[in-house]
Amino acid sequence: MDADVLVVGAGPVGLALACGLRQHGLSVRVVDRADGPATTSRANFVHARASEVLDRLGALGGLPEESVRAMTITTYAGDRPIMKVRFGDPGLRTAAPPMMISQARVEAALRDRLAELGVVPEWGSALTAIEQDGSGVTAVLGDGRRVRTAWLAGCDGTGSTVRKLAGIGFPGVRVSERFLLVDGRLETPLDRSGSHGWVHPAGMLGAMPMPGDGQWRLLAYDPEFRDEKPSEEQIAERMRHILAERIGRTGTRLAETSWASLFSVHRRLADAYRSGRVLLAGDSAHAHAPFGGQGMLTGLGDAENLAWKLALVVAGRADERLLDTYEAERRPLATQVLRGSTATTRMNIAATPIGRFLRDRVLVRVFGMPWIQRYTTYATSQLWVSYRRGPLGGGGRRPRPGERVADLACVRPDGARVRLYEELREHWVVLGGDGETLAAARRRLGGTTVTQLREAPGGLPPVEAHGEMGSGEVATGKEARGVWLVRPDGHLACRGGAADIERWLGDALGGGR
């Protein structure tokens, strides 16, 4: 084999998957048809759960300090503010608050981490064919090279070549006409501590601050713009016209642009996330509307979930049935997220008088309620994601098997203090217990893949780690009864003694050694 896993696509999802696989000791190659890394990006928001994934991958680094903390969205009708939604910590301690930062910077941080792990993406390497058999996949690249791999992961976007070659359907519908997207320097009195949006009969307009002096991202719904292949300058000029038309204030001008594009919103979901030894993750498996910043967030979660499962299968410690739990856990979430992002899109582009009345008069008042704003922050963060109803989940007191475990402050056997998520970068964690419980986990998972921690006094990481954090519902020492086995993705596997751990691992991993 040339590699245990060939990852196709060097965007955020492919890079995250490769980092996760390397952390678990697999050999990985990453190929991408592009000539080099992207310098522009559509995604520009990193939610709390995405920060946690990046933290567990060792790739969060200085991104929180680089980002813009835009914690509000103010909606206007012309010059008149009609609604302000405040975002912030949803009550669960996280690696970082929501961050406004370019996807290109997130990808750069992931590439740096992957390089630390010994892998560099192979640019200019398009996939042209795949041949599967019982022991692996042969991938054919554009220059004629053949790469033999045990598994192949498609992280190559909504137009995924991997998905098409694997024969996996990607049904869906078109949700909207075209949006214009422009990054550039805005001369404006708008407050950079938050994002801004305008409702207008011609369509919505949004302005989001970005890192850099006077840099903003502008997003406008413009179904009247019919030019099929406009240049970036034509798009920028159209955006200047929209600014003058919809903002209604003086002193706001698009001075220069660094990137301009257009897109339509489609909602799509792959029929399956796996075909034999080929798997899909991220936009290859689900296509989202950009509203709410759920696309990259959901893809990063796919990558982390798949990485530890694929690592166990490749190591021979689990049979291939474990990979079926990847789709079982992640596809229902994608379905739910797609419904939400589609509803948000339709609300934003409401064209009928009734639709605009509901949006501009009714929803404005509803979203002004503090509890609705807290719920919105929590919902978009995806900290609520739980697998307890899936094949690896369970019941009982919280956190239940399959639910998220907070980033607890812990102590290693040698007395060193460490955060739980730091240990999850390379390990499963037995939290509490004794030598017998640790031995039970290591018999199935391997001696070097499991570590044992105990919860530190106080149970929570220092508040100053990455800015303000809340004190909401987390698993603290007072609530932690018994022993926990924590999955590498930060979800509870099971609780109980050595026999309970052995039983859960036997059921989850099947016939592996």
Side-chain angles (χ1 to χ4, degrees):
M1 293 288 177
D2 297 309
D4 292 324
V5 182
L6 176 65
V7 177
V8 180
V13 178
L15 293 168
L17 176 59
C19 287
L21 294 169
R22 286 295 299 135
Q23 287 187 161
H24 289 288
L26 271 61
S27 60
V28 180
R29 288 178 64 174
V30 180
V31 298
D32 195 295
R33 66 187 306 162
D35 292 331
T39 57
T40 59
S41 58
R42 290 187 177 181
N44 68 331
F45 202 88
V46 176
H47 285 286
R49 184 179 178 91
S51 296
E52 292 191 343
V53 173
L54 293 171
D55 188 21
R56 288 189 290 267
L57 292 174
L60 184 60
L63 291 179
E65 287 69 38
E66 292 182 42
S67 67
V68 174
R69 301 294 175 82
M71 296 293 102
T72 63
I73 298 179
T74 304
T75 302
Y76 307 82
D79 282 332
R80 181 171 60 92
I82 57 176
M83 175 178 67
K84 177 174 280 192
V85 176
R86 291 176 174 83
F87 291 91
D89 186 271
L92 291 173
R93 296 186 176 228
T94 59
M99 300 184 294
M100 196 77 76
I101 192 165
S102 167
Q103 178 181 318
R105 280 297 304 128
V106 175
E107 291 178 6
L110 285 164
R111 284 195 305 273
D112 289 344
R113 175 57 176 157
L114 188 57
E116 291 176 358
L117 296 167
V119 177
V120 175
E122 301 172 35
W123 302 105
S125 300
L127 179 74
T128 59
I130 56 175
E131 303 165 4
Q132 288 199 62
D133 55 47
S135 61
V137 183
T138 300
V140 182
L141 304 181
D143 59 4
R145 284 180 295 155
R146 299 172 71 86
V147 179
R148 182 67 177 169
T149 181
W151 297 86
L152 187 146
C155 308
D156 50 340
T158 54
S160 173
T161 300
V162 173
R163 187 188 62 243
K164 295 170 183 175
L165 292 174
I168 298 175
F170 198 45
V173 296
R174 184 169 177 164
V175 177
S176 77
E177 297 296 330
R178 290 196 293 185
F179 284 85
L180 307 185
L181 186 62
V182 174
D183 287 351
R185 185 170 63 83
L186 203 61
E187 295 177 353
T188 179
L190 292 171
D191 182 5
R192 283 179 60 84
S193 67
S195 297
H196 306 266
W198 290 263
V199 293
H200 190 277
M204 60 80 63
L205 169 67
M208 294 144 278
M210 295 293 291
D213 183 26
Q215 294 299 306
W216 291 77
R217 166 160 292 185
L218 301 175
L219 176 69
Y221 182 55
D222 191 19
E224 300 304 317
F225 190 48
R226 298 297 184 182
D227 195 326
E228 287 302 315
K229 294 184 178 180
S231 66
E232 289 195 20
E233 183 55 38
Q234 287 175 307
I235 296 172
E237 282 303 313
R238 179 62 181 172
M239 185 65 78
R240 291 186 176 95
H241 169 78
I242 288 172
L243 282 170
E245 175 188 52
R246 300 181 192 178
I247 288 184
R249 67 168 68 215
T250 59
T252 295
R253 185 178 74 90
L254 179 60
E256 57 189 46
T257 62
S258 56
W259 181 53
S261 183
L262 52 80
F263 65 93
S264 299
V265 175
H266 292 79
R267 180 188 68 200
R268 296 186 181 277
L269 182 63
D271 289 333
Y273 280 23
R274 177 188 175 197
S275 176
R277 289 178 170 266
V278 176
L279 300 119
L280 303 178
D283 289 350
S284 300
H286 40 78
H288 300 260
F291 299 105
Q294 299 295 292
M296 182 168 66
L297 172 61
T298 306
L300 289 173
D302 290 348
E304 188 180 38
N305 187 286
L306 177 58
W308 68 264
K309 295 174 180 178
L310 196 50
L312 286 172
V313 172
V314 171
R317 296 190 177 278
D319 65 35
E320 292 183 18
R321 289 182 299 164
L322 180 63
L323 294 177
D324 295 333
T325 70
Y326 164 59
E327 179 176 325
E329 289 186 338
R330 296 300 299 175
R331 194 171 184 273
L333 169 65
T335 301
Q336 187 172 351
V337 171
L338 283 168
R339 290 195 190 107
S341 60
T342 299
T344 302
T345 301
R346 287 176 172 158
M347 177 187 73
N348 276 303
I349 65 173
T352 66
I354 293 176
R356 288 199 297 267
F357 174 81
L358 290 173
R359 181 192 63 196
D360 302 345
R361 301 293 182 179
V362 178
L363 289 178
V364 161
R365 296 188 178 186
V366 170
F367 275 92
M369 299 177 182
W371 73 271
I372 289 290
Q373 295 187 6
R374 289 193 298 271
Y375 172 79
T376 301
T377 297
Y378 183 67
T380 55
S381 74
Q382 287 197 20
L383 294 177
W384 51 268
V385 170
S386 170
Y387 306 130
R388 71 181 185 88
R389 299 186 184 278
L392 303 180
R397 65 180 181 275
R398 301 191 71 176
R400 306 176 184 95
E403 291 184 336
R404 169 184 172 267
V405 176
D407 188 13
L408 304 174
C410 297
V411 179
R412 290 176 178 150
D414 63 5
R417 291 179 65 92
V418 65
R419 292 185 298 112
L420 174 63
Y421 287 4
E422 289 180 87
E423 293 297 285
L424 291 176
R425 289 174 188 171
E426 299 175 358
H427 302 104
W428 291 65
V429 169
V430 174
L431 192 59
D434 53 22
E436 184 181 355
T437 52
L438 178 61
R442 285 181 169 176
R443 276 193 290 272
R444 282 308 307 267
L445 296 170
T448 62
T449 61
V450 187
T451 190
Q452 191 165 33
L453 304 175
R454 61 180 175 84
E455 197 172 341
L460 294 171
V463 171
E464 64 270 20
H466 282 299
E468 293 186 3
M469 300 184 191
S471 59
E473 186 176 350
V474 295
T476 68
K478 294 180 180 179
E479 300 166 358
R481 298 291 184 261
V483 182
W484 295 359
L485 177 63
V486 184
R487 297 167 23 166
D489 58 3
H491 288 256
L492 182 66
C494 67
R495 62 197 320 154
D500 300 295
I501 288 176
E502 285 189 315
R503 185 181 310 110
W504 186 89
L505 288 171
D507 292 341
L509 307 188
R513 65 172 184 267

